[in-house]
Amino acid sequence: MKTSRGAAILAIITAALLILPLVVHDTFVLRVLTEGIMWIGLAIAFDVIAGYTGYLNFGHGAFFGIGAYTIGILMMQAHLPFWVALPLGGVAAALTALIAGIPTLRLKGAYFAIATWALSRAIQQLALNVEFTGGPDGMRLEAFLNPLFFYYLMLITVGVIFLVLWYLLERAPFGLKLKAIREDEEGAKALGLNPTMLKMQSFILSAIPTGILGGIYAYWITFIDPSSTLGDLVSDQAVVMVVFGGMGTLFGPALGAILIFAFKTIFWAYLSDFQLLYLIILGALIAISVIFIPNGLWGTLVKRKAVARPQQKPEPASEPAVLSAVAVPEEGN
Amino acid sequence: MMELLPQALTDGILLGGIYITIAIAFSLTYGVMHVIDFAVGEWIMFGAFTGYYLNKWTGLDPFIFLPVIFVIYFGVGYLVQPVIHRVLSGTKGNPFLMGLVFTFGLAIMFRGLALTAFGFYSNSIPSAFSEGSFNLESIGLTVTIPTVRLMGLAYAVAITLILHYLLKKTNFGLGVRALAQHKDAAGLMGVNAKRTGSYVYGIYVGISAMTGVLLGCILSIGAQMGNEYTIFAFFVVVLAGMGYLAGVPWAALLLGLVQSIFMIYFNPSHTLLAVFVILYIILLISPRGLFGKGV
């Protein structure tokens, strides 16, 4: 019942998104929607390692930037076509995750958070100072002016990302193993799991879609530079979207991404100096979410629904407690 | 090029002194509260700006204000810590993870507030010590030591000694060390974890703010300076071994020397990358730091 209803809702949303460009002909709206969809993908990818596994990757933006720069370099210097370069963006992100993960994922989460955050700064400095990346001036790609193409490309890519991650994290044993690591890593090891290997797989799984989305972004926007693709804002926004929306779920980050991106887009149009205010709001939102809604919006909504359900029908005095005890833990995650 | 080596080594030691001040209180906080404070750079930045404006309004030398700034920011840290304590003590989700996220959020918010209040421009804090320098000559080699950097090294030594005394020779220090070892057992022995944590966090924020004033005199201040010092704090602490306080001075000096030599003999613009590679190698070879005593 729950699954079929969810599937029906998803089908309706998907159909609406597919049909939308036929109804809306405004290029600006199409571009805004394209970027919003991209952020859903970025937030979901961040949650794989942060929410499901419990290891915070504060350098998430680095993989986005690596994907963007890989596309830029391969298309503009090696002259490869887009469809050949795009998968290589994901491969480059995966390789970076593999290399960065080796020394850090064996250790406690603090090391990983520090190392990934430092990694993003090191890569940004590299991009600023190396000639083949264009240095501080960035790179320009050939313009392919087709908003419809990028809308559908982004939609299909994020759709595939969502389905693959949904299967791996919510249906396959892989997801259960990651959650076991998050809840009790020593216990997971005692059960026979290999936490380091699983964390590595999770990290790479988080990096690949991020790199691919970075590649699409580069081709779409046609200009990349260290501050726009490797700067703090990609990581910062990914963190707030996931924490605010709900860590350890797929719908939470998507919800967080939609709300925050909508908020940013609307206010940016009205406030000329919103960028600084936006930083304050981002940081405050992260801090407030941690304190007051640790499960995020989605976690809170789902939990509330679960708690409300047993009370809707009259039950003998002894049974409601049992129902609540059973229902809440199941829905809580 | 060999004639530059003495100057490089001297500069490295002076730079290491700066890193000691940046990292030592941070390491103390991690050891006791087990929280990685991503806002360490922002506390330094706020301290720098406070020193800047106090100097601007009064005309007095910024070094005079160090105790004032410590008191102010000790109070700030004392008040902020209960919130962090609440996050770390939460039963929902992963408390440690939430602590990381919370301080990450604080850092972003502080950066936004600072950019709003102070703008994007850089400044420096003038001091009577800014212009002097000592010149040492021996067998044809010359070494120049700026007075203000020497003040920085002196400050680093002083902070290290004071913290050592505080932790080793006082009842408060005994409580802190007990808390670092085992929170619940310390509680059973009468140590108030919450209050002790507040004092430690207050000390950490106070020292960080004082360090900010120092850096403002030696280098420059800007609303976006925080990230750079957060990275160096992290590097030193990881090299030293997370929570191992005695390792901090040596790790800081090593980092300062490596960076100084790298700046002179290699490409200065790749310094951060070089430091990151060192961090990577250390984590690969000796994950618990140079001395293998990290948490």
Side-chain angles (χ1 to χ4, degrees):
Chain A
M1 174 57 180
K2 184 168 53 176
T3 301
S4 61
R5 184 196 296 174
I9 294 175
L10 271 185
I12 293 173
I13 293 175
T14 304
L17 288 173
L18 286 170
I19 294 173
L20 198 59
L22 306 181
V23 178
V24 177
H25 299 291
D26 191 320
T27 302
F28 172 75
V29 173
L30 216 55
R31 286 174 74 96
V32 168
L33 289 174
T34 304
E35 189 174 351
I37 293 168
M38 180 184 81
W39 276 105
I40 292 176
L42 289 176
I44 290 172
F46 175 77
D47 198 37
V48 174
I49 187 73
Y52 278 90
T53 316
Y55 275 65
L56 289 162
N57 172 14
F58 287 137
H60 192 59
F63 299 113
F64 182 80
I66 287 169
Y69 268 97
T70 301
I71 284 270
I73 293 167
L74 292 181
M75 288 185 70
M76 300 310 294
Q77 296 181 19
H79 302 292
L80 296 183
F82 173 69
W83 295 110
V84 174
L86 185 61
L88 294 178
V91 171
L95 284 177
T96 306
L98 179 66
I99 295 170
I102 288 175
T104 55
L105 285 170
R106 296 176 296 160
L107 309 170
K108 293 169 64 175
Y111 290 94
F112 183 75
I114 290 174
T116 51
W117 189 70
L119 173 70
S120 68
R121 310 209 139 265
I123 290 180
Q124 186 180 28
Q125 190 185 58
L126 186 69
L128 273 166
N129 291 292
V130 171
E131 272 189 33
F132 65 84
T133 58
D137 298 327
M139 300 183 75
R140 284 170 183 76
L141 286 78
E142 295 171 37
F144 182 61
L145 300 177
N146 190 336
L148 214 60
F149 168 79
F150 287 108
Y151 175 83
Y152 279 116
L153 178 59
M154 201 69 85
L155 181 60
I156 292 170
T157 302
V158 171
V160 170
I161 290 171
F162 187 89
L163 288 178
V164 170
L165 293 185
W166 177 81
Y167 173 76
L168 286 177
L169 299 172
E170 296 290 346
R171 286 294 180 270
F174 182 66
L176 286 177
K177 292 174 182 174
L178 294 189
K179 291 176 188 176
I181 290 174
R182 180 188 67 198
E183 297 302 323
D184 188 344
E185 188 163 343
E186 295 300 320
K189 188 181 293 185
L191 287 175
L193 300 181
N194 184 337
T196 301
M197 188 62 62
L198 286 163
K199 285 183 276 179
M200 185 69 72
Q201 290 166 3
S202 172
F203 191 29
I204 293 174
L205 186 61
S206 173
I208 292 177
T210 308
I212 290 175
L213 290 173
I216 297 175
Y217 175 86
Y219 191 38
W220 172 40
I221 299 295
T222 72
F223 173 76
I224 56 177
D225 73 312
S227 60
S228 68
T229 55
L230 285 163
D232 288 333
L233 217 50
V234 177
S235 303
D236 294 352
Q237 287 180 112
V239 172
V240 75
M241 287 168 179
V242 170
V243 172
F244 180 63
M247 297 181 85
T249 73
L250 283 184
F251 288 99
L255 179 64
I258 292 169
L259 291 178
I260 288 169
F261 181 74
F263 169 76
K264 174 180 128 176
T265 302
I266 291 171
F267 276 88
W268 221 309
Y270 291 98
L271 297 174
S272 58
D273 59 350
F274 181 64
Q275 183 172 1
L276 297 182
L277 186 59
Y278 186 55
L279 266 187
I280 300 173
I281 292 172
L282 270 195
L285 200 52
I286 291 175
I288 290 171
S289 296
V290 169
I291 297 176
F292 295 109
I293 47 170
N295 289 325
L297 278 188
W298 183 258
T300 305
L301 290 175
V302 171
K303 191 169 194 174
R304 187 166 300 160
K305 188 175 296 183
V307 172
R309 185 175 301 128
Q311 301 171 19
Q312 287 172 354
K313 29 183 177 175
E315 295 284 350
S318 58
E319 289 192 26
V322 175
L323 285 176
S324 296
V326 172
V328 172
E330 272 184 327
E331 300 287 350
N333 195 34
Chain B
M1 287 293 275
M2 282 308 295
E3 64 270 14
L4 291 175
L5 188 58
Q7 184 68 57
L9 294 179
T10 305
D11 288 346
I13 293 173
L14 296 172
L15 197 54
I18 293 177
Y19 291 150
I20 291 175
T21 63
I22 291 172
I24 196 160
F26 180 76
S27 185
L28 172 66
T29 301
Y30 180 78
V32 173
M33 294 168 59
H34 299 289
V35 57
I36 292 290
D37 190 356
F38 268 85
V40 55
E42 272 62 43
W43 293 124
I44 291 172
M45 180 262 295
F46 277 143
F49 272 103
T50 304
Y52 174 79
Y53 281 108
L54 285 177
N55 165 263
K56 195 172 178 181
W57 293 334
T58 68
L60 298 176
D61 196 279
F63 282 91
I64 295 175
F65 294 114
L66 289 184
V68 176
I69 284 171
F70 178 84
V71 170
I72 293 173
Y73 280 89
F74 177 92
V76 172
Y78 191 92
L79 294 176
V80 168
Q81 193 274 346
V83 182
I84 296 179
H85 184 77
R86 169 173 167 166
V87 172
L88 292 174
S89 303
T91 52
K92 295 181 177 179
N94 186 330
F96 175 76
L97 198 79
M98 288 306 165
L100 277 175
V101 175
F102 180 78
T103 59
F104 188 77
L106 284 187
I108 297 173
M109 184 171 67
F110 288 166
R111 198 185 322 140
L113 286 170
L115 282 166
T116 304
F118 307 126
F120 286 86
Y121 306 106
S122 289
N123 291 285
S124 69
I125 307 177
S127 164
F129 301 100
S130 295
E131 293 172 9
S133 68
F134 300 97
N135 287 293
L136 308 178
E137 282 194 47
S138 179
I139 54 176
L141 299 176
T142 303
V143 169
T144 303
I145 304 177
T147 306
V148 71
R149 283 182 176 253
L150 200 57
M151 291 287 292
L153 186 60
Y155 170 82
V157 173
I159 289 292
T160 303
L161 292 179
I162 291 173
L163 279 183
H164 178 82
Y165 174 82
L166 191 69
L167 291 175
K168 297 289 188 178
K169 308 292 185 183
T170 66
N171 283 336
F172 169 76
L174 189 63
V176 169
R177 281 184 283 137
L179 203 56
Q181 282 188 26
H182 200 293
K183 187 174 178 180
D184 293 331
L188 287 174
M189 295 299 115
V191 178
N192 186 323
K194 193 168 181 180
R195 189 179 305 147
T196 304
S198 285
Y199 283 128
V200 169
Y201 198 78
I203 290 171
Y204 149 70
V205 175
I207 291 179
S208 297
M210 287 197 294
T211 301
V213 177
L214 193 69
L215 292 171
C217 296
I218 296 175
L219 302 168
S220 68
I221 69 176
Q224 307 203 72
M225 71 190 271
N227 281 332
E228 182 179 354
Y229 298 118
T230 303
I231 286 187
F232 288 131
F234 285 172
F235 282 163
V236 173
V237 167
V238 170
L239 280 181
M242 305 271 276
Y244 180 55
L245 219 56
V248 168
W250 312 114
L253 289 174
L254 174 69
L255 195 59
L257 285 168
V258 168
Q259 187 170 337
S260 176
I261 291 175
F262 198 85
M263 273 196 263
I264 290 183
Y265 290 108
F266 300 98
N267 190 341
S269 56
H270 287 113
T271 303
L272 185 57
L273 195 63
V275 169
F276 179 81
V277 170
I278 292 171
L279 173 72
Y280 185 91
I281 292 172
I282 291 291
L283 283 180
L284 209 51
I285 298 173
S286 179
R288 301 196 188 283
L290 296 172
F291 308 99
K293 295 192 176 180
V295 175

